[in-house]
Amino acid sequence: MKPDMNLWSGRVDPEANTARWHQQVRPFSTAAEPGTTLIGFCSDEGVRRNKGRVGAAKGPAAMRKTLASLAWHQSGPVYDAGDVVCAGEDLEAAHSALAERVAECLAHRQLPIVMGGGHEVAFGSWSGLAQHFMTQEATQAQPPRIGIINFDAHFDLRDPGLVVSSGTPFAQIAQVCEQRGWPFQYACLGVSRASNTQALFDKAEQLQTLVWEDRAMTQGRLAEMKSDLNAFIGRCDHLYLTIDIDVFPAAQAPGVSAPAARGVALDVIEPLIEQITASGKLRLADLAELNPEYDVDGHTARLAARLIHTLTL
């Protein structure tokens, strides 16, 4: 779908050198110079299947509207590739369509940033990255070492054999990696022990997941977290960053499917995101679970917009 550029509107300052996002974002085309491309994923079918509160399908529009008036400090171009829309309950078709859109952007030297939608977005996003590497398979001596870094209150490792939902994407990815003989390298940062069963912790351990619980993610332990993350990044050739906005405290992010009673503060997570982008290995990012229907004064949309702003600096 072509992007609705009418969403990119906002104030225009009369002074010189006062550009804002809405004045700079352009529609994506295959002739675009290398840069960052935004893709919307309008779906909360996975959230519905996971028995969460729906509304995240409207997240991409809310992110665009909030991004539009942010001050422009980006060094490279940013494009909008429109939305992938989940039609009814056909999540599987939406995943395929998103994978195609992501792979197309990667083929044209873009950094795709996917705006969800429920966290079911992760399987479609990763599938696009995998599709991109599969087209290069003949020239690769080894399978791609893709590291998945997930800031999330939940592991999302539930059994997809029961139902595919917003709670299963990383188990789905692990299955595909096993089938292809690819390494599965997963870091989940911000996990809430109160919100994940022992079975999920056991599954994470089985998959050798790097785990940091929310209560441990404090400013006082930032250096330790950075060290662990640096070691993880060192084992990877490529990084996929996925941010479930419910990792933040409910006071910072009330507009999500499952607000966090504790969460991890932005001033702890932001330096880690900057570390990831500085690695030079980031190939793909997405944000999930912004639910405008439950947002309070746009707090969550502002947080999501800031995260995208940080990713594109």
Side-chain angles (χ1 to χ4, degrees):
M1 182 185 295
K2 291 184 178 180
D4 179 3
M5 299 307 292
N6 290 323
L7 291 171
W8 296 105
S9 62
R11 63 177 290 174
V12 177
D13 297 326
E15 300 88 358
N17 199 26
T18 55
R20 298 180 183 274
W21 273 67
H22 70 90
Q23 296 167 293
Q24 301 293 324
V25 176
R26 298 290 179 263
F28 171 72
S29 77
T30 55
E33 296 178 7
T36 299
T37 296
L38 305 176
I39 305 168
F41 185 68
C42 300
S43 168
D44 49 22
E45 172 59 17
V47 174
R48 185 193 68 79
R49 295 181 188 184
N50 203 30
K51 306 187 187 307
R53 55 183 191 178
V54 299
K58 297 178 182 178
M63 289 188 211
R64 287 185 177 96
K65 288 179 181 178
T66 308
L67 267 171
S69 289
L70 292 189
W72 180 264
H73 296 283
Q74 281 48 38
S75 57
V78 178
Y79 308 100
D80 188 345
D83 291 331
V84 171
V85 179
C86 181
E89 299 180 3
D90 198 351
L91 177 56
E92 291 68 25
H95 277 154
S96 296
L98 177 58
E100 291 287 342
R101 191 82 55 97
V102 168
E104 180 184 37
C105 290
L106 289 165
H108 290 89
R109 298 181 297 169
Q110 301 295 316
L111 171 67
I113 297 180
V114 185
M115 304 176 293
H119 213 178
E120 65 266 27
V121 67
F123 184 66
S125 294
W126 181 89
S127 296
L129 185 59
Q131 184 174 315
H132 173 70
F133 285 121
M134 287 179 69
T135 64
Q136 304 174 346
E137 202 166 37
T139 63
Q140 291 180 341
Q142 300 293 332
R145 298 190 304 167
I146 303 170
I148 302 168
I149 301 173
N150 178 27
F151 289 100
D152 198 339
H154 308 91
F155 284 119
D156 290 343
L157 286 170
R158 299 181 70 181
D159 184 359
L162 300 176
V163 61
V164 170
S165 74
S166 61
T168 63
F170 305 106
Q172 292 172 263
I173 293 168
Q175 286 182 349
V176 174
C177 286
E178 183 178 9
Q179 292 164 4
R180 294 181 181 168
W182 290 9
F184 177 71
Q185 301 183 102
Y186 180 42
C188 191
L189 312 179
V191 172
S192 166
R193 186 165 288 269
S195 301
N196 293 266
T197 63
Q198 187 59 50
L200 291 170
F201 274 92
D202 292 344
K203 180 70 172 179
E205 184 177 5
Q206 175 193 336
L207 292 170
Q208 298 182 335
T209 304
L210 170 61
V211 178
W212 272 82
E213 292 188 36
D214 54 1
R215 59 188 177 181
M217 293 184 68
T218 64
Q219 280 287 342
R221 299 188 69 182
L222 191 54
E224 188 180 348
M225 282 183 274
K226 286 186 171 183
S227 178
D228 279 359
L229 191 55
N230 190 57
F232 179 88
I233 291 171
R235 297 191 294 271
C236 307
D237 299 317
H238 314 282
L239 297 177
Y240 159 40
L241 170 63
T242 178
I243 304 171
D244 189 325
I245 304 171
D246 72 13
V247 73
F248 295 96
Q252 291 184 353
V256 294
S257 175
R262 183 184 185 112
V264 183
L266 177 62
D267 62 357
V268 173
I269 289 179
E270 197 167 47
L272 301 177
I273 292 174
E274 290 168 348
Q275 179 182 357
I276 293 164
T277 58
S279 72
K281 297 181 178 181
L282 184 63
R283 307 288 180 256
L284 167 69
D286 62 33
L287 296 90
E289 304 281 353
L290 168 59
N291 188 331
E293 293 188 20
Y294 296 94
D295 208 357
V296 177
D297 196 28
H299 288 327
T300 319
R302 289 187 179 92
L303 174 58
R306 182 184 174 95
L307 292 170
I308 295 173
H309 182 81
T310 300
L311 284 167
T312 55
L313 284 172

